[in-house]
Amino acid sequence: MNIFKLNGLPSTSNPYLFNGDFVDRGSFSIECIFTLFSFKLLYPDHFFMSRGNHESVTMNQMYGFEGEVRSKYTSQMGDLFTEVYNWLPLCHCLNNKVLVMHGGLFSEDSVSLDDIRKTQRNRQPPEEGIMCELLWSDPMPGTGRAVSKRGVGLQFGADITKKFLDFNNLDYIIRSHEVKDAGYEVAHAGLCITVFSAPNYCDTMGNKGAFITLRGDTMEPKYVVYAAVEHPPVKPMAYASSPLLRLFS
């Protein structure tokens, strides 16, 4: 709601793209996801949603969304959310210049936009391959590839980003997936931008949140940074499956 206050409500003249992890990020996932789905229904051609790694059954069981749905509705409602999540796009290509995904890039240099289009997304995320890496991978300093600190996906360096962009004739990528103190981070010589829109993550991190605005004629990113606003008095991650997850997810 604070993003809409700062940037205006979605409309045909004010389109939005939300970049995954709509749930599991606090104790109001139901309210967040219903708001987003409502705008998708209202403006199907001007409101877009990319799937994140938390739009999955396993993560929802661990980090609280399943418990929140059971508490506020029923287990059957949880199954319906899973069905919808399986159809969320894995990424979006903006004006044939910018690729937006939740996680990051790939273990192979030859992945094309057509390969991504052909990827079967109506399923739970696998532990390897294009779908997995779009949802889970992270950029790293330096070059090359490395094992992911998350245990899923991979870490990719600036040379990997450059090769992918050149191979697909793109300008840069935008991704999310990682808390950033300033709400965003520009890496890989400006070719890889991370944007994280949840300020004071889990009420503990003290980070700013951010979103990016883009004009279609230039696609030059402009950053809006903001602090957390007050929410109703419910503890963060109140529905997570263990105290450790509530503290450290």
Side-chain angles (χ1 to χ4, degrees), residues 179-231:
V179 179
K180 298 298 179 183
D181 287 342
Y184 73 96
E185 180 179 83
V186 181
H188 297 178
L191 301 182
C192 177
I193 300 170
T194 297
V195 59
F196 193 85
S197 299
N200 194 26
Y201 179 51
C202 293
D203 288 0
T204 60
M205 298 298 290
N207 61 289
K208 301 291 187 182
F211 60 83
I212 298 172
T213 60
L214 294 168
R215 289 182 57 90
D217 51 354
T218 65
M219 299 302 287
E220 180 181 353
K222 302 292 185 183
Y223 306 97
V224 178
V225 178
Y226 50 91
V229 296
E230 186 176 356
H231 62 67

Side-chain angles (χ1 to χ4, degrees), residues 61-195:
Q61 289 171 344
M62 294 172 59
Y63 287 93
F65 183 62
E66 181 182 79
E68 182 178 345
V69 173
R70 288 176 180 271
S71 175
K72 296 178 180 179
Y73 293 95
T74 64
S75 59
Q76 182 184 17
M77 179 72 84
D79 294 338
L80 294 173
F81 276 113
T82 296
E83 185 177 344
V84 176
Y85 292 160
N86 284 351
W87 282 111
L88 288 173
L90 301 177
C91 58
H92 293 77
C93 189
L94 309 182
N95 284 12
N96 297 313
K97 293 182 177 181
V98 180
L99 192 68
V100 183
M101 78 289 285
H102 181 75
L105 296 180
F106 310 101
S107 53
E108 303 288 339
D109 289 333
S110 59
V111 174
S112 68
L113 297 184
D114 279 340
D115 292 329
I116 297 172
R117 292 186 186 100
K118 294 173 183 175
T119 299
Q120 169 58 259
R121 71 177 191 263
N122 183 21
R123 55 177 171 159
Q124 288 300 291
E127 295 188 1
E128 61 182 10
I130 288 175
M131 181 175 180
C132 169
E133 291 160 357
L134 282 168
L135 301 181
W136 279 97
S137 292
D138 297 294
M140 67 177 186
T143 59
R145 294 180 174 91
V147 175
S148 173
K149 58 185 181 290
R150 303 175 187 270
V152 187
L154 67 140
Q155 297 184 86
F156 58 95
D159 58 327
I160 305 303
T161 301
K162 182 70 162 57
K163 288 178 184 177
F164 173 79
L165 295 172
D166 289 346
F167 185 70
N168 288 283
N169 195 29
L170 297 168
D171 291 349
Y172 60 92
I173 64 170
I174 297 175
R175 41 89 62 182
S176 299
H177 199 37
E178 294 181 285
V179 179
K180 298 298 179 183
D181 287 342
Y184 73 96
E185 180 179 83
V186 181
H188 297 178
L191 301 182
C192 177
I193 300 170
T194 297
V195 59

